[in-house]
Amino acid sequence: MKDRARLLPDLLIGLAILALCLGVYNATLTPSLSYKSPDGNELATVCYTLGLAHATGYPLYTWLGKLFTYLPIGDVAHRVNLMSATLGAAGVALLYVILRQLTGNRLPASSRLASACGALLFGFSRTFWSQTGIAEVYAANLFMVALTLALLLQWARAHRACRRHSFLWLWAFALVYGLSLGTHMSNLGFAPAFALFVLLLDWRILQRPWVWLVAAGLFFVGVLQFLWLPYKAATLNDANMLRQAPSTLEGIYRYTLGAFPDFKFAFPLTALPERIVLYLHLLAQNFHLMGILFGLVGTAGLLWQAPRRFFLLAGVYVVQVWFFVQYRAFDIDVFFIPAHFIYAAFLGFGVYSLLAGLLFLLRPRSAWRRTTLLTINTVIALLLILTLVRQVSANWEWNDYSQDTAINDFYENVYELLPTESALLGRGGVFGFDMFYFRLVYNYRPDVVIPMLSGPRPSPSDLEGRPIFTTQRLSEGEGGRGPWSPPPGLIPAQAWSVPVLLGQSGVGTGLRERGQPLALYAVQDTPPMLVIDTADPQFPIGQRLEDLELVGYDLDDHLSSPGGRLHLVLYWRVLAPSRSLIATSLGEMILESHGLGLGNLTRYIQDIRGLRNGIVVEDYWVVLPSTMAPGEYPLRIGLQSPLPVWAGADSALNTDKVELGWITVGEAGQALSVDADEALVVPVPKENDP
Amino acid sequence: MTRERMLLIVTGAMLIALLIAIAAFSLGVYVGTHGWTSDPPPLIGPGQKPLVPVDQGRQPAAGKVPPSTARAAGQPQQPVARPQLVGRVRSVSQTTVTLETPEGPRLVQLAEDVQVFRRSQGDPGEAPASLAKVVPGDHLAVYGFFQGNGSRLLIARRLVLLPPPANRQP
């Protein structure tokens, strides 16, 4: 009864932490697909289709994700994103539980305060928070790591209290630990630290083989999830993954323990100091100098008060840091999340040690003890709240993906515009799931063939007789082709890639770090009508913008809707050399920016006709973000100095802009009515100048 | 205090001391190599050519001449390439350049074969230059590619010294 009464505040605090984190994570959640993670779109899709993710397969993640796809909220990708938020918040709440287990009940109020402090500082740390808003494995894995540690510590507590059936906690730990390999294989590295802790606590467990043999058996049961790999190996379509397909024992090894051999221990000894500095930088980025100092205090404090538990946490921490400082990955920061988790536990213990130390130093008389304790805890609680507010506000913008609808807006329009019985090319494998998602999950446009869906080497016969479109420029001589691109020879070498639809590539989207605009190209043998002799625009302008003159423009309609599109034709006279980008903005938002001629001008000038006395025609659709509020917005064309596309909103344009008129953005669903077959007919030149 | 507990604490203290010593040594090596700087090391790490999913659509094909000699309209023109970053040079070394950008300071790693050009006011072309000509305060456009999906580390293949922005306004 006394235990239950003691547990109630902890239960309430734990739930409050979970609710707070979940609320914040949900507010910053990506609404659907995102490029924030390279694998996120694949993971979201695979959860729904129950397919096989890239190495190391992530069976448990896939199954948990499948459960979340049944939620009646948003679309499937949103639900998988929500899994990251939910399990991430649960992991933070479990950190509170772990810290309570470590700090004990000698000073319950201080223990609760310090535990909440460590948990929330971790929960709103920059790196971990960034993984709670997207479909990725790291938040789910953190939950599994936290659960594993909490169960092991609970076993230790029950064992010390000589409770009957304490071994049940050990068995639960073993099962969960085995399962956790299905959210990240690197958890296997914790095994020595776990084994050391069990033996330090009671080495006589070796004399009771039934205890550890059952534990080992349950761990193995958890590992059996990897039978999913050979079962689903046939669903792979990524060139690299197919090379190590887990359809044989060797393949299973190469897909799991042997995956990414080039990334592991990738640095010479001389490079390690720099890697360690990188880790320290990431640690400071998440907890700041003060947090690091508290962590050091907590490390020493834990060693003094509970040396066995210190070795458990230190073992997990050292293995994580040691392995990943030597791991070569462009997103290495997220791999350190479990290490940050352990450091947050040290940090929380440091706060507790400080509180306990203050009480010891002050040695208040019993009459004042309660007041002193209350005062100190109140001051620390206020400091904690201030720190948290600062932490949340500092990291909010970085981790707020709630406006990132670029992929969905773009592909909704792509699938709407594609002519019947056409073919859609683009990147394949893991990176093609931005395109595959709509077909595999919602069966968009079954009449459209997506050749890269079935594998990395589609045949030209798949495209025979179909209008071809691509989301990746495929013109002859284009660089950047790789294993995820359509293979050479699939389309004629001299084909033109003519942009017809441009998606958002500006502020607030995950694209800002990719520098790669979303574009749909028509693949055609004939060149676009890029330079004409005379123009007869629907709306003549005749205004000079630096070295270009906007002769005029055509605009189909001044009405669109959030997530809809506008059809623009711009007529440019080139007065002098210009390297500026042409940007289309609506209100304060740059919808897209592009080079003159939409990437085809050089070839056109070389192969078809020169620019002398000519007018450059740019004919494109531009997608409106679905986050745009209904209203009236000025549509502007401006020149952008060669700034990166994420450099800012409309104010990033040069001072001169041309206002084309006002666009009424109606309610969603009030989209412009366009005949799809007519929409993507790309004009061809009537005559070619020599 | 039992002997076992004492042994654990001493061992643990040695472990903590070792970790702090490794961290201090690493910081010392880093400061010795790079000087006092707030720039962190690149995420991808030093030593090797970056491992890149090359399918980024941003890297020039092998052997392709960079669009460094782009000419004006009316003549054959290289594609109007979009620089990945533009900013004011804060510091420069043989392997990195740090730029002040609207997003804050950004570290750019220089490819081994990085090329440097200078663009002058009123001249559409670009004249070859060298890295030694890049000094703090210059305006620089960086053409290159990001190190893999989602990474902020920019690998520069081509640097273009720009005229001061005020002079470039019409």
Side-chain angles (χ1 to χ4, degrees):
Chain A
M1 196 64 192
K2 192 179 168 186
D3 271 1
R4 282 189 188 172
R6 194 182 286 165
L7 278 177
L8 186 63
D10 288 323
L11 183 67
L12 293 176
I13 295 171
L15 286 174
I17 288 173
L18 190 144
L20 177 64
C21 289
L22 186 56
V24 172
Y25 296 163
N26 188 50
T28 54
L29 197 71
T30 312
S32 185
L33 300 179
S34 161
Y35 288 131
K36 190 68 187 168
S37 155
D39 314 317
N41 301 331
E42 179 222 18
L43 289 168
T45 310
V46 160
C47 285
Y48 177 80
T49 60
L50 284 178
L52 180 58
H54 66 280
T56 58
Y58 307 104
L60 180 68
Y61 179 87
T62 307
W63 301 338
L64 290 174
K66 180 67 180 176
L67 294 179
F68 272 82
T69 63
Y70 290 115
L71 289 175
I73 306 168
D75 70 347
V76 162
H78 180 91
R79 295 167 200 168
V80 181
N81 297 341
L82 197 57
M83 174 169 76
S84 293
T86 308
L87 294 184
V92 176
L94 278 173
L95 178 55
Y96 172 80
V97 172
I98 288 169
L99 272 163
R100 284 288 289 130
Q101 288 170 324
L102 292 173
T103 50
N105 279 315
R106 200 165 59 87
L107 298 166
S110 301
S111 165
R112 287 182 182 122
L113 185 58
S115 301
C117 175
L120 288 172
L121 283 176
F122 172 74
F124 297 122
S125 62
R126 182 159 162 167
T127 309
F128 178 66
W129 186 356
S130 76
Q131 297 303 302
T132 58
I134 54 175
E136 250 300 355
V137 296
Y138 300 102
N141 182 55
L142 194 278
F143 170 76
M144 293 303 291
V145 170
L147 187 58
T148 305
L149 280 169
L151 287 170
L152 190 56
L153 288 169
Q154 190 58 36
W155 167 74
R157 195 172 175 176
H159 187 75
R160 195 176 58 179
C162 299
R163 288 191 188 144
R164 292 174 65 194
H165 310 309
S166 64
F167 55 84
L168 289 176
W169 289 110
L170 187 69
W171 290 352
F173 149 78
L175 178 64
V176 171
Y177 180 43
L179 287 170
S180 78
L181 303 186
T183 50
H184 212 278
M185 187 59 72
S186 65
N187 296 345
L188 198 59
F190 302 151
F194 292 159
L196 177 68
F197 177 68
V198 171
L199 291 176
L200 282 177
L201 210 74
D202 184 9
W203 63 269
R204 290 181 185 83
I205 199 170
L206 293 174
Q207 294 171 345
R208 283 174 288 167
W210 61 274
V211 174
W212 60 263
L213 275 176
V214 172
L218 285 166
F219 172 78
F220 184 70
V221 168
V223 173
L224 282 179
Q225 64 180 300
F226 285 92
L227 288 174
W228 184 254
L229 273 55
Y231 176 53
K232 290 289 181 178
T235 64
L236 288 173
N237 69 358
D238 184 285
N240 284 356
M241 295 301 123
L242 282 167
R243 259 181 242 130
Q244 52 190 8
S247 46
T248 62
L249 279 178
E250 187 195 353
I252 293 172
Y253 169 77
R254 291 175 61 191
Y255 208 83
T256 51
L257 295 173
F260 307 116
D262 295 341
F263 290 14
K264 295 172 185 163
F265 304 104
F267 300 102
L269 205 58
T270 51
L272 291 190
E274 187 165 316
R275 301 297 291 170
I276 290 167
V277 170
L278 172 68
Y279 166 72
L280 293 173
H281 165 75
L282 296 172
L283 188 66
Q285 196 179 58
N286 281 278
F287 298 117
H288 310 287
L289 186 60
M290 193 57 81
I292 292 178
L293 291 176
F294 270 109
L296 285 174
V297 171
T299 310
L302 186 62
L303 174 63
W304 181 255
Q305 288 191 29
R308 292 176 184 82
R309 285 160 179 76
F310 163 83
F311 276 100
L312 170 66
L313 296 191
V316 170
Y317 175 78
V318 169
V319 165
Q320 263 274 312
V321 175
W322 172 76
F323 183 76
F324 284 118
V325 293
Q326 300 179 76
Y327 196 78
R328 186 186 285 278
F330 55 83
D331 55 348
I332 192 67
D333 49 341
V334 296
F335 289 86
F336 286 116
I337 285 175
H340 294 332
F341 177 81
I342 300 294
Y343 203 88
F346 287 136
L347 193 162
F349 203 89
V351 174
Y352 174 75
S353 301
L354 176 79
L355 288 169
L358 279 175
L359 281 173
F360 177 77
L361 287 173
L362 294 172
R363 287 191 190 87
R365 284 177 299 171
S366 56
W368 290 94
R369 183 177 168 83
R370 195 178 174 81
T371 312
T372 310
L373 199 62
L374 189 66
T375 308
I376 291 174
N377 284 341
T378 306
V379 170
I380 297 291
L382 285 173
L383 282 175
L384 168 64
I385 291 168
L386 285 175
T387 309
L388 278 176
V389 169
R390 184 176 169 275
Q391 177 112 330
V392 171
S393 67
N395 290 334
W396 186 285
E397 189 185 358
W398 179 264
N399 292 314
D400 182 10
Y401 317 140
S402 59
Q403 302 298 306
D404 188 352
T405 58
I407 299 178
N408 293 68
D409 294 342
F410 174 71
Y411 278 102
E412 292 280 354
N413 279 281
V414 166
Y415 283 104
E416 199 176 315
L417 279 175
L418 285 173
T420 52
E421 304 294 336
S422 54
L424 180 60
L425 290 169
R427 297 204 301 170
V430 170
F431 302 113
F433 279 85
D434 51 353
M435 182 168 60
F436 304 155
Y437 170 83
F438 297 91
R439 168 62 58 80
L440 291 173
V441 176
Y442 292 108
N443 197 28
Y444 269 35
R445 295 295 303 272
D447 61 301
V448 173
V449 166
I450 305 176
M452 299 297 285
L453 188 56
S454 53
R457 300 267 163 213
S459 158
S461 64
D462 295 342
L463 310 176
E464 220 163 52
R466 292 174 180 272
I468 304 171
F469 292 83
T470 175
T471 54
Q472 181 186 17
R473 185 183 283 277
L474 295 174
S475 297
E476 172 74 2
E478 284 292 330
R481 304 288 288 275
W484 296 282
S485 294
L490 189 64
I491 60 166
Q494 292 303 317
W496 291 77
S497 294
V498 181
V500 286
L501 178 72
L502 304 175
Q504 190 191 10
S505 53
V507 177
T509 76
L511 291 169
R512 65 180 175 176
E513 289 167 353
R514 293 166 54 88
Q516 184 173 326
L518 284 164
L520 176 71
Y521 304 88
V523 179
Q524 54 190 56
D525 297 330
T526 50
M529 192 169 60
L530 203 53
V531 183
I532 57 175
D533 291 330
T534 54
D536 181 22
Q538 184 185 357
F539 301 100
I541 298 276
Q543 183 170 334
R544 180 171 179 161
L545 287 173
E546 296 184 1
D547 298 323
L548 301 175
E549 180 194 340
L550 183 60
V551 178
Y553 69 98
D554 302 339
L555 179 63
D556 278 2
D557 203 324
H558 287 75
L559 175 68
S560 191
S561 63
R565 58 189 174 270
L566 294 170
H567 185 200
L568 265 174
V569 184
L570 303 179
Y571 299 91
W572 296 99
R573 181 171 287 118
V574 181
L575 306 173
S578 172
R579 299 181 65 87
S580 294
L581 301 177
I582 296 162
T584 317
S585 69
L586 192 60
E588 295 303 310
M589 187 180 292
I590 295 178
L591 299 177
E592 62 80 34
S593 57
H594 61 266
L596 181 67
L598 295 162
N600 283 319
L601 192 58
T602 302
R603 183 180 169 195
Y604 192 89
I605 291 171
Q606 286 170 348
D607 295 357
I608 309 300
R609 65 156 284 179
L611 263 181
R612 190 178 299 276
N613 300 323
I615 289 173
V616 178
V617 183
E618 295 185 320
D619 184 343
Y620 58 96
W621 293 81
V622 61
V623 176
L624 272 54
S626 58
T627 49
M628 205 154 205
E632 295 210 334
Y633 300 91
L635 177 67
R636 298 192 186 105
I637 296 294
L639 294 190
Q640 199 178 8
S641 296
L643 283 166
V645 288
W646 59 85
D650 190 46
S651 54
L653 297 183
N654 291 352
T655 46
D656 281 353
K657 299 167 218 169
V658 180
E659 193 169 301
L660 304 188
W662 287 73
I663 299 295
T664 303
V665 178
E667 298 291 339
Q670 212 177 318
L672 196 63
S673 171
V674 174
D675 184 309
D677 285 342
E678 284 182 11
L680 290 183
V681 174
V682 179
V684 295
K686 292 170 186 164
E687 55 180 354
N688 292 344
D689 285 1
Chain B
M1 184 184 291
T2 65
R3 193 177 162 187
E4 184 193 353
R5 180 180 160 83
M6 178 62 89
L7 184 66
L8 286 174
I9 289 176
V10 169
T11 310
M14 287 167 65
L15 177 64
I16 293 173
L18 179 67
L19 293 178
I20 291 174
I22 290 172
F25 174 76
S26 302
L27 281 168
V29 170
Y30 189 74
V31 171
T33 310
H34 300 272
W36 287 105
T37 172
S38 56
D39 295 333
L43 290 180
I44 193 72
Q48 301 174 19
K49 284 250 180 188
L51 297 173
V52 190
V54 290
D55 193 7
Q56 301 294 308
R58 299 192 288 276
Q59 296 164 259
K64 185 175 180 181
V65 179
S68 55
T69 52
R71 285 289 156 189
Q75 301 172 40
Q77 182 183 342
Q78 295 285 342
V80 181
R82 186 196 305 268
Q84 273 67 35
L85 200 61
V86 172
R88 186 192 297 269
V89 177
R90 193 166 156 182
S91 65
V92 59
S93 74
Q94 286 301 311
T95 54
T96 60
V97 172
T98 305
L99 296 183
E100 286 175 10
T101 73
E103 281 199 328
R106 293 285 303 274
L107 182 76
V108 178
Q109 188 168 311
L110 305 181
E112 287 176 9
D113 55 347
V114 66
Q115 294 176 298
V116 184
F117 298 90
R118 179 184 292 282
R119 197 178 299 163
S120 304
Q121 182 67 35
D123 180 1
E126 289 166 356
S130 70
L131 193 60
K133 301 286 183 191
V134 181
V135 295
D138 283 346
H139 285 263
L140 198 65
V142 181
Y143 295 78
F145 56 94
F146 285 89
Q147 186 60 76
N149 286 329
S151 169
R152 288 172 65 82
L153 178 64
L154 178 59
I155 312 290
R157 302 290 297 268
R158 184 166 160 261
L159 303 175
V160 179
L161 281 161
L162 303 172
N167 298 340
R168 295 188 9 276
Q169 295 300 324

